[in-house]
Amino acid sequence: MLSRSDIWVDFGLSGLAKWLSSPAASGLEQREVVGEAVEWGEGAYASTLLSDAERLLASSLTTEAVNVLWSAAVRRAYAEGAPWLDGRAWLREIVGLVTERYDVAELSALRGDGGPDVGPALRAAVLAEIEAMAAPLAAATESDRAGAVRGVVPVLRRVVTEVDPDLGFRFFLRALKAYGVPITESRYLRYHELGERLGYHELVVDDGSLQVEGEGEGEASPASREA
């Protein structure tokens, strides 16, 4: 099975959000898209989907918080009854689609292929990048005509601190890409550094979707603001 560093597409729930919001998924049932993801990469995608969904289900995040997270990832305002925006029920659906495909031994192997151990320093680094982009990300997600979503940044903070920094960072990147929030070149490089520390292939951080602009006047890095 492929290792995380060999997966050259965004994976897990953040990657699934990209698949579901792409033109290629138009007209497909969400179960079909999940099924394709489960089969991808000799189970590599299945492992990350299962891990992400089970971590969120085991967390204290409410259905409403999961709705916010997912809505921002697919750039669609939450609509009651929408089949792919139903919080914890959607996560349970994903777990079910993965577990029905594999036997007990295979599932044990999938669950044993989790993400890297993340210590306080890496968690703090991810949080610092989210905080640095909190204002522009909130403005973009709250004002978007097609996909206005409120409270994205607070939910991302909770995912990083209460669930998993790896998952939080991938959802953060997914929201930046989905809403076209511009970032500076120095941030772009820091995101790649974080991705390397988290064991990502470089294309997971950016497959050409991040909007990179020149350095803003007087912009300071999170480390310099903390000094």
Side-chain angles (χ1 to χ4, degrees):
M1 186 168 63
L2 294 174
S3 67
R4 282 166 54 99
S5 61
D6 292 326
I7 304 175
W8 62 90
V9 293
D10 194 357
F11 51 80
L13 290 176
S14 55
L16 180 63
K18 178 184 177 182
W19 281 30
L20 283 169
S21 56
S22 71
S26 178
L28 294 177
E29 292 289 336
Q30 69 272 13
R31 289 177 63 94
E32 293 180 82
V33 179
V34 176
E36 290 184 12
V38 169
E39 297 290 338
W40 190 92
E42 301 176 352
Y45 221 109
S47 173
T48 59
L49 272 178
L50 186 62
S51 175
D52 285 355
E54 289 187 333
R55 285 179 178 177
L56 280 176
L57 282 170
S59 76
S60 59
L61 262 64
T62 63
T63 290
E64 290 73 19
V66 177
N67 288 342
V68 167
L69 189 67
W70 190 255
S71 296
V74 297
R75 194 179 179 178
R76 293 199 180 185
Y78 179 73
E80 195 68 37
W84 58 355
L85 297 177
D86 50 6
R88 285 178 167 269
W90 171 233
L91 295 176
R92 288 191 292 271
E93 177 88 355
I94 292 170
V95 170
L97 288 169
V98 176
T99 55
E100 71 184 22
R101 166 66 178 76
Y102 296 94
D103 61 30
V104 174
E106 290 171 326
L107 285 171
S108 178
L110 289 178
R111 290 191 170 99
D113 190 40
D117 292 330
V118 178
L122 190 49
R123 179 180 291 106
V126 172
L127 274 175
E129 295 302 338
I130 292 174
E131 292 301 332
M133 292 297 295
L137 182 56
T141 53
E142 292 176 10
S143 64
D144 190 77
R145 287 187 177 183
V149 184
R150 298 186 62 84
V152 175
V153 173
V155 171
L156 286 172
R157 291 190 190 110
R158 291 192 63 190
V159 174
V160 173
T161 58
E162 300 175 26
V163 185
D164 180 36
D166 164 34
L167 180 58
F169 186 53
R170 282 186 280 117
F171 265 112
F172 168 61
L173 292 175
R174 176 54 42 207
L176 292 178
K177 296 168 185 175
Y179 288 85
V181 183
I183 61 171
T184 61
E185 293 178 3
S186 59
R187 288 201 195 291
Y188 181 80
L189 293 175
R190 286 202 298 275
Y191 295 171
H192 274 285
E193 290 171 0
L194 281 173
E196 185 175 353
R197 292 168 66 184
L198 288 164
Y200 300 168
H201 188 285
E202 63 180 9
L203 292 180
V204 172
V205 175
D206 184 32
D207 58 0
S209 301
L210 282 174
Q211 303 298 310
V212 185
E213 298 183 350
E215 296 297 320
E217 292 185 9
E219 179 177 343
S221 68
S224 66
R225 281 194 293 272
E226 293 169 0

